[in-house]
Amino acid sequence: MAIDCSYSVIGEGPALFLIHGIGARRATFAGLVEGLKDGFTCVTYDLRGHGLSPLPEGRFGLEDLVDDLEALRRRLGIEQAHFAGHSLGGMIGPAYARRYPDRVLSLGLYSTAAFRTEDDSRKVRAVVQAMRDKGIGLVLDTLTARWFTDDFAAARPDVIEWRKQQVMDTDAGVFLNVFDIYAETEMGPWLHEIAAPALVLTGENDGGCNPRLNREIAAAMPKAELVILDALKHAIFIEATDRALPPIRDFLLRHRG
């Protein structure tokens, strides 16, 4: 059953739904919204069990997260929109487009993964298992080292702590549940079905959502463009929205609808 997620609407123009990742919040996209609100109605929301959205009852899967997004679209009365997501959000968006192709003007797949090798998948599953065995808090430093560049972490320890606190404020069961979805989802077999224009974007040094995987994602989609951001890791919208915004804005304006 779909959950009524907490959301914000800012801007004017065609609708753009922005979908955050694991243990994050809609605030992930604050800088991006600021740079797009003059041309797009930006809809951000907290995934179920995150931020101000209600806790779900029991475990849930990727299709349940698609249900939540569709429920929000219906609530807002938006017929068609652009959909873009970061990390896990970059899996929710394509899954939504696969189910509701007529609703989608374009897609953004930001810092996400598909076409993982068995070794890639093993590494992701090992991170999840470590959190189950040791506790989420004890693995957080490992995660943030993968999310942020060393220079940014040294310069902005306050932001690193803020991001860690988001994770710790997320119900542990929900956090592990969404991490399981991220680890177990494989879009490779069906990405070729997505006909909407798509922007595939990731950081050069993003270990889990690396350029190798993103090149395969872009090659599989009929109307995809690929952008690799030099030197960045995973948390591109917290660390460097100023670098991610130009290619995203250019793409959206070309496919504005």
Side-chain angles (χ1 to χ4, degrees):
M1 181 180 295
I3 282 178
D4 289 336
C5 295
S6 181
Y7 67 93
S8 302
V9 180
I10 301 173
E12 56 185 23
L16 167 63
F17 286 82
L18 294 167
I19 314 159
H20 69 74
I22 298 168
R25 305 288 187 271
R26 68 186 111 161
T28 296
F29 298 112
L32 195 62
V33 169
E34 189 63 28
L36 295 173
K37 66 181 182 181
D38 62 325
F40 297 89
T41 300
C42 299
V43 182
T44 57
Y45 69 104
D46 295 333
L47 296 179
R48 58 168 63 193
H50 291 67
L52 299 179
S53 288
L55 281 169
E57 294 183 7
R59 285 184 64 82
F60 54 92
L62 180 64
E63 292 305 316
D64 297 301
L65 298 174
V66 171
D67 289 342
D68 294 347
L69 178 54
E70 172 61 4
L72 177 56
R73 183 205 62 78
R74 288 199 308 267
R75 194 185 332 166
L76 295 174
I78 295 169
E79 287 301 310
Q80 289 187 306
H82 303 271
F83 294 84
H86 179 257
S87 193
L88 175 64
M91 297 173 174
I92 298 169
Y96 180 92
R98 189 185 187 203
R99 195 195 301 178
Y100 301 105
D102 294 341
R103 301 289 187 196
V104 180
L105 295 172
S106 80
L107 279 175
L109 291 77
Y110 309 147
S111 305
T112 195
F115 301 100
R116 292 178 177 127
T117 65
E118 180 51 42
D119 185 55
D120 293 329
S121 297
R122 180 186 56 77
K123 288 176 180 176
V124 179
R125 291 194 297 267
V127 172
V128 181
Q129 192 59 49
M131 289 187 287
R132 285 197 162 92
D133 293 343
K134 301 176 183 178
I136 295 168
L138 294 180
V139 182
L140 261 183
D141 285 339
T142 300
L143 289 177
T144 54
R146 296 180 180 189
W147 293 343
F148 298 96
T149 65
D150 292 346
D151 287 348
F152 183 83
R156 294 300 307 273
D158 57 318
V159 175
I160 307 302
E161 289 305 312
W162 170 76
R163 183 66 182 97
K164 287 182 181 179
Q165 194 59 50
Q166 284 185 333
V167 171
M168 297 309 297
D169 288 343
T170 304
D171 177 86
V174 168
F175 183 79
L176 292 170
N177 192 157
V178 291
F179 223 122
D180 282 338
I181 295 170
Y182 170 78
E184 295 163 8
T185 294
E186 179 46 72
M187 300 187 288
W190 49 262
L191 274 177
H192 66 278
E193 301 173 17
I194 307 299
L199 176 63
V200 181
L201 181 149
T202 197
E204 177 188 19
N205 295 326
D206 188 333
C209 301
N210 59 64
R212 170 176 55 85
L213 301 181
N214 279 257
R215 289 188 184 97
E216 292 196 55
I217 292 170
M221 303 180 76
K223 298 179 183 177
E225 303 173 23
L226 175 66
V227 173
I228 307 296
L229 298 174
D230 293 349
L232 291 178
K233 290 188 177 181
H234 192 64
I236 56 176
F237 296 111
I238 297 175
E239 178 168 342
T241 294
D242 60 320
R243 294 189 53 202
L245 174 61
I248 291 172
R249 183 177 174 87
D250 173 71
F251 172 83
L252 287 169
L253 288 173
R254 284 188 282 114
H255 299 282
R256 194 167 184 268

